[in-house]
mmCIF file of all heavy atoms in Angstrom:
data_model
loop_
_atom_site.group_PDB
_atom_site.id
_atom_site.type_symbol
_atom_site.label_atom_id
_atom_site.label_comp_id
_atom_site.label_asym_id
_atom_site.label_seq_id
_atom_site.Cartn_x
_atom_site.Cartn_y
_atom_site.Cartn_z
ATOM 1 N N ASP X 72 -0.897 -116.977 -67.715
ATOM 2 C CA ASP X 72 -2.155 -117.755 -67.820
ATOM 3 C C ASP X 72 -3.414 -116.900 -68.133
ATOM 4 O O ASP X 72 -4.481 -117.400 -68.032
ATOM 5 C CB ASP X 72 -2.377 -118.586 -66.522
ATOM 6 C CG ASP X 72 -1.305 -119.530 -66.297
ATOM 7 O OD1 ASP X 72 -1.364 -120.647 -67.013
ATOM 8 O OD2 ASP X 72 -0.427 -119.360 -65.410
ATOM 9 N N ALA X 73 -3.139 -115.588 -68.389
ATOM 10 C CA ALA X 73 -4.283 -114.726 -68.627
ATOM 11 C C ALA X 73 -4.996 -115.212 -69.930
ATOM 12 O O ALA X 73 -4.386 -115.601 -70.902
ATOM 13 C CB ALA X 73 -3.760 -113.276 -68.781
ATOM 14 N N GLY X 74 -6.293 -115.063 -69.945
ATOM 15 C CA GLY X 74 -7.087 -115.335 -71.080
ATOM 16 C C GLY X 74 -7.287 -116.822 -71.252
ATOM 17 O O GLY X 74 -7.831 -117.243 -72.349
ATOM 18 N N ARG X 75 -6.905 -117.677 -70.428
ATOM 19 C CA ARG X 75 -7.201 -119.067 -70.521
ATOM 20 C C ARG X 75 -8.649 -119.355 -70.651
ATOM 21 O O ARG X 75 -9.396 -118.811 -69.772
ATOM 22 C CB ARG X 75 -6.517 -119.902 -69.477
ATOM 23 C CG ARG X 75 -6.679 -121.387 -69.618
ATOM 24 C CD ARG X 75 -5.769 -122.105 -68.732
ATOM 25 N NE ARG X 75 -4.340 -121.901 -69.022
ATOM 26 C CZ ARG X 75 -3.331 -122.612 -68.417
ATOM 27 N NH1 ARG X 75 -3.591 -123.554 -67.595
ATOM 28 N NH2 ARG X 75 -2.154 -122.392 -68.911
ATOM 29 N N PRO X 76 -9.193 -120.162 -71.508
ATOM 30 C CA PRO X 76 -10.723 -120.395 -71.539
ATOM 31 C C PRO X 76 -11.191 -120.972 -70.242
ATOM 32 O O PRO X 76 -10.610 -121.771 -69.648
ATOM 33 C CB PRO X 76 -10.834 -121.508 -72.745
ATOM 34 C CG PRO X 76 -9.569 -121.233 -73.563
ATOM 35 C CD PRO X 76 -8.529 -120.814 -72.613
ATOM 36 N N GLY X 77 -12.300 -120.452 -69.865
ATOM 37 C CA GLY X 77 -12.974 -120.881 -68.642
ATOM 38 C C GLY X 77 -12.428 -120.255 -67.469
ATOM 39 O O GLY X 77 -12.890 -120.543 -66.313
ATOM 40 N N ASP X 78 -11.401 -119.378 -67.520
ATOM 41 C CA ASP X 78 -10.749 -118.771 -66.339
ATOM 42 C C ASP X 78 -11.168 -117.326 -66.175
ATOM 43 O O ASP X 78 -10.248 -116.462 -66.120
ATOM 44 C CB ASP X 78 -9.278 -118.886 -66.406
ATOM 45 C CG ASP X 78 -8.706 -120.348 -66.196
ATOM 46 O OD1 ASP X 78 -9.641 -121.219 -65.860
ATOM 47 O OD2 ASP X 78 -7.526 -120.580 -66.290
ATOM 48 N N ARG X 79 -12.490 -117.112 -66.237
ATOM 49 C CA ARG X 79 -12.921 -115.630 -66.210
ATOM 50 C C ARG X 79 -13.734 -115.367 -65.090
ATOM 51 O O ARG X 79 -14.348 -114.204 -64.922
ATOM 52 C CB ARG X 79 -13.612 -115.366 -67.488
ATOM 53 C CG ARG X 79 -12.803 -115.494 -68.802
ATOM 54 C CD ARG X 79 -13.569 -115.139 -69.947
ATOM 55 N NE ARG X 79 -12.753 -115.345 -71.135
ATOM 56 C CZ ARG X 79 -13.287 -115.198 -72.475
ATOM 57 N NH1 ARG X 79 -14.580 -114.805 -72.592
ATOM 58 N NH2 ARG X 79 -12.519 -115.344 -73.437
ATOM 59 N N ASP X 80 -13.848 -116.303 -64.151
ATOM 60 C CA ASP X 80 -14.786 -116.016 -63.026
ATOM 61 C C ASP X 80 -14.041 -115.474 -61.730
ATOM 62 O O ASP X 80 -14.695 -115.409 -60.674
ATOM 63 C CB ASP X 80 -15.611 -117.318 -62.657
ATOM 64 C CG ASP X 80 -14.702 -118.435 -62.393
ATOM 65 O OD1 ASP X 80 -13.461 -118.297 -62.426
ATOM 66 O OD2 ASP X 80 -15.233 -119.562 -62.112
ATOM 67 N N GLY X 81 -12.758 -115.260 -61.835
ATOM 68 C CA GLY X 81 -12.030 -114.627 -60.743
ATOM 69 C C GLY X 81 -11.849 -115.600 -59.579
ATOM 70 O O GLY X 81 -11.529 -115.206 -58.499
ATOM 71 N N ARG X 82 -12.068 -116.987 -59.756
ATOM 72 C CA ARG X 82 -11.693 -117.935 -58.689
ATOM 73 C C ARG X 82 -10.374 -118.618 -58.801
ATOM 74 O O ARG X 82 -9.703 -118.440 -59.887
ATOM 75 C CB ARG X 82 -12.862 -118.947 -58.664
ATOM 76 C CG ARG X 82 -14.219 -118.338 -58.329
ATOM 77 C CD ARG X 82 -15.213 -119.515 -58.372
ATOM 78 N NE ARG X 82 -15.381 -120.074 -59.624
ATOM 79 C CZ ARG X 82 -16.070 -121.173 -59.851
ATOM 80 N NH1 ARG X 82 -16.713 -121.713 -58.883
ATOM 81 N NH2 ARG X 82 -16.196 -121.644 -61.112
ATOM 82 N N LEU X 83 -9.973 -119.371 -57.903
ATOM 83 C CA LEU X 83 -8.791 -120.115 -57.988
ATOM 84 C C LEU X 83 -9.105 -121.579 -58.257
ATOM 85 O O LEU X 83 -10.025 -122.165 -57.623
ATOM 86 C CB LEU X 83 -8.121 -120.074 -56.585
ATOM 87 C CG LEU X 83 -7.646 -118.693 -56.108
ATOM 88 C CD1 LEU X 83 -6.865 -118.814 -54.742
ATOM 89 C CD2 LEU X 83 -6.646 -118.017 -57.102
ATOM 90 N N ARG X 84 -8.423 -122.187 -59.185
ATOM 91 C CA ARG X 84 -8.697 -123.544 -59.570
ATOM 92 C C ARG X 84 -7.348 -124.317 -59.343
ATOM 93 O O ARG X 84 -6.215 -123.771 -59.882
ATOM 94 C CB ARG X 84 -9.129 -123.696 -60.911
ATOM 95 C CG ARG X 84 -10.463 -122.887 -61.226
ATOM 96 C CD ARG X 84 -10.778 -122.865 -62.617
ATOM 97 N NE ARG X 84 -11.931 -122.061 -62.924
ATOM 98 C CZ ARG X 84 -13.057 -122.420 -63.287
ATOM 99 N NH1 ARG X 84 -13.307 -123.596 -63.497
ATOM 100 N NH2 ARG X 84 -13.983 -121.510 -63.468
ATOM 101 N N GLY X 85 -7.348 -125.426 -58.769
ATOM 102 C CA GLY X 85 -6.048 -126.122 -58.633
ATOM 103 C C GLY X 85 -6.165 -127.512 -58.306
ATOM 104 O O GLY X 85 -7.225 -128.120 -58.230
ATOM 105 N N THR X 86 -5.024 -128.206 -58.192
ATOM 106 C CA THR X 86 -4.890 -129.660 -57.949
ATOM 107 C C THR X 86 -4.115 -129.851 -56.705
ATOM 108 O O THR X 86 -2.930 -129.401 -56.522
ATOM 109 C CB THR X 86 -4.288 -130.362 -59.133
ATOM 110 O OG1 THR X 86 -5.105 -130.103 -60.295
ATOM 111 C CG2 THR X 86 -4.182 -131.794 -58.923
ATOM 112 N N ASP X 87 -4.540 -130.612 -55.807
ATOM 113 C CA ASP X 87 -3.861 -130.977 -54.590
ATOM 114 C C ASP X 87 -3.096 -132.221 -54.900
ATOM 115 O O ASP X 87 -3.537 -133.294 -55.103
ATOM 116 C CB ASP X 87 -4.847 -131.252 -53.372
ATOM 117 C CG ASP X 87 -4.153 -131.406 -52.172
ATOM 118 O OD1 ASP X 87 -2.973 -131.852 -52.163
ATOM 119 O OD2 ASP X 87 -4.856 -131.220 -51.014
#
Side-chain angles (χ1 to χ4, degrees):
D72 296 287
R75 181 169 294 191
D78 287 355
R79 298 180 182 179
D80 55 1
R82 296 181 295 172
L83 300 179
R84 302 169 188 245
T86 302
D87 188 334

